[in-house]
Amino acid sequence: MLNELPAMNRHRGQQNPRKGLAFTVGLVTSWYCSNIGVLLLNKFLLSNYGFKYPIFLTTCHMAACSVLSYIALVFFRIAPVQTVRSGVQLGKIAALSFIFCGSVVSGNISLRFLPVSFNQAVGATTPFFTAVFAFVMTAKREAWVTYATLIPVVTGVVIASGGEPSFHLFGFIMCIGATAARALKTVLQGILLSSEGEKLNSMNLLLYMAPVAVVLLLPATLIMEENVVGKTIQLAREDFKIIWYLLFNSCLAYFVNLTNFLVTKHTSPLTLQVLGNAKGALAVVVSVLIFRNPVTVTGMLGYSITVAGVVLYSEAKKRNK
């Protein structure tokens, strides 16, 4: 009997890594599904379905994030609740929320005019804008090799733009604006919430940013998207599925943030970067298969060059740390 104990312990030791791997694979799969799902559903609602209210759609997303963030942190305790310690800190969070709103709204507007494949190609240039804002706002200098890797990042998008059959100038400007705002939020977050007493993990930051975003977006949607509530009710009378689409889409927007937090927590930064690049490529393939938007060899070549540039940029930053 005693001789069997080591064997039993070895057996348990073999099972745990498998369970850990299965858990990580499940997290990554959930992250991929929620990210790609919300992107495709946004495109479907705003472009194919004809729900032309991107600000109201973003307001629904933020309202869901407000409620679900509170439930996840307070009741399910997925992370310790961090409190806002001062009015100054709240003001910083509000500033980040304003930029975050601009990023999401601009991204949703761009999906009305651009295919998901091109949207993802432009979105891949986030490292370029992050490097620019970091240099301008913090005078942070990277090694020349790191800056050199940004050349293919930008060049790829230029090539993809020239080869995009569905290119739309306003949609392109909105997409660039969304990408730049996303990068600006990242840099500002590092500046504004840099002290140990003010640092918040991504789920707590979302908990406080989402209600502020609703307060900012609600008057904007009522002014800029006239009678949007009445029109949505009218759409629901004609096809009640719109209500289910909005509810599911809003919950999915929260799970994008939740799964991103969990994947970040359970994997390394390098793994996260590789998975993120692969996610973007998969989103392009799935969107083309679903929406059948035309793609060209030139466009795919440009996107590939951009992704390669992002990979080189990540590798250069890692080596120069």
Side-chain angles (χ1 to χ4, degrees):
M1 183 69 180
L2 291 173
N3 291 334
E4 291 177 2
L5 289 176
M8 290 173 63
N9 290 334
R10 282 198 302 271
H11 181 64
R12 287 173 185 166
Q14 289 171 353
Q15 283 186 325
N16 289 336
R18 290 178 183 175
K19 288 182 180 178
L21 179 61
F23 178 74
T24 303
V25 170
L27 274 182
V28 172
T29 302
S30 300
W31 183 44
Y32 272 35
C33 290
S34 58
N35 267 271
I36 297 172
V38 77
L39 186 66
L40 298 180
L41 193 50
N42 283 350
K43 175 64 178 176
F44 170 74
L45 286 171
L46 295 168
S47 184
N48 296 62
Y49 190 83
F51 186 79
K52 300 177 181 179
Y53 310 108
I55 304 177
F56 180 66
L57 182 63
T58 308
T59 306
C60 292
H61 289 180
M62 292 300 101
C65 286
S66 300
V67 175
L68 294 176
S69 290
Y70 184 82
I71 293 172
L73 286 169
V74 175
F75 292 100
F76 291 100
R77 302 182 185 278
I78 63 164
V81 177
Q82 298 169 287
T83 57
V84 175
R85 300 189 177 188
S86 66
V88 173
Q89 186 184 10
L90 183 61
K92 294 175 180 179
I93 292 171
L96 291 173
S97 184
F98 178 78
I99 297 168
F100 180 63
C101 288
S103 172
V104 179
V105 170
S106 298
N108 285 338
I109 291 174
S110 74
L111 284 172
R112 280 190 59 193
F113 304 99
L114 297 177
V116 173
S117 53
F118 187 57
N119 179 280
Q120 289 294 285
V122 177
T125 61
T126 302
F128 168 78
F129 290 102
T130 303
V132 170
F133 287 130
F135 176 76
V136 171
M137 301 177 72
T138 67
K140 181 182 178 182
R141 295 176 181 271
E142 303 284 355
W144 69 269
V145 176
T146 305
Y147 288 121
T149 60
L150 293 172
I151 296 173
V153 172
V154 177
T155 302
V157 170
V158 173
I159 294 172
S161 301
E164 175 54 53
S166 306
F167 182 84
H168 190 284
L169 181 59
F170 179 70
F172 177 71
I173 292 171
M174 287 292 101
C175 198
I176 287 288
T179 306
R182 189 161 54 245
L184 178 60
K185 175 189 167 291
T186 301
V187 175
L188 276 179
Q189 186 174 329
I191 297 172
L192 296 179
L193 303 178
S194 57
S195 67
E196 286 301 319
E198 291 185 332
K199 283 183 180 178
L200 299 172
N201 64 44
S202 60
M203 296 314 297
N204 276 275
L205 185 60
L206 183 66
L207 173 68
Y208 297 115
M209 279 176 51
V212 176
V214 173
V215 172
L216 293 171
L217 289 169
L218 196 55
T221 190
L222 293 175
I223 294 170
M224 300 176 69
E225 297 175 339
E226 189 177 352
N227 195 29
V228 63
V229 176
K231 290 175 182 176
T232 303
I233 293 172
Q234 182 61 39
L235 277 173
R237 287 173 180 166
E238 297 170 5
D239 182 7
F240 193 76
K241 286 187 292 187
I242 183 63
I243 301 299
W244 296 115
Y245 285 146
L246 289 174
L247 284 172
F248 180 67
N249 185 242
S250 299
C251 291
L252 208 55
Y254 170 73
F255 281 106
V256 169
N257 293 281
L258 175 61
T259 54
N260 184 73
F261 169 75
L262 292 174
V263 170
T264 304
K265 183 178 178 180
H266 290 279
T267 64
S268 67
L270 178 60
T271 302
L272 189 70
Q273 183 65 50
V274 173
L275 290 172
N277 293 332
K279 175 175 61 66
L282 182 61
V284 169
V285 173
V286 173
S287 70
V288 170
L289 291 174
I290 291 177
F291 296 112
R292 304 287 182 181
N293 57 282
V295 291
T296 63
V297 174
T298 304
M300 293 309 296
L301 174 64
Y303 179 70
S304 300
I305 292 172
T306 294
V307 171
V310 171
V311 172
L312 291 173
Y313 174 79
S314 302
E315 187 65 21
K317 283 205 71 171
K318 185 181 72 171
R319 291 187 176 186
N320 286 291
K321 276 186 178 179

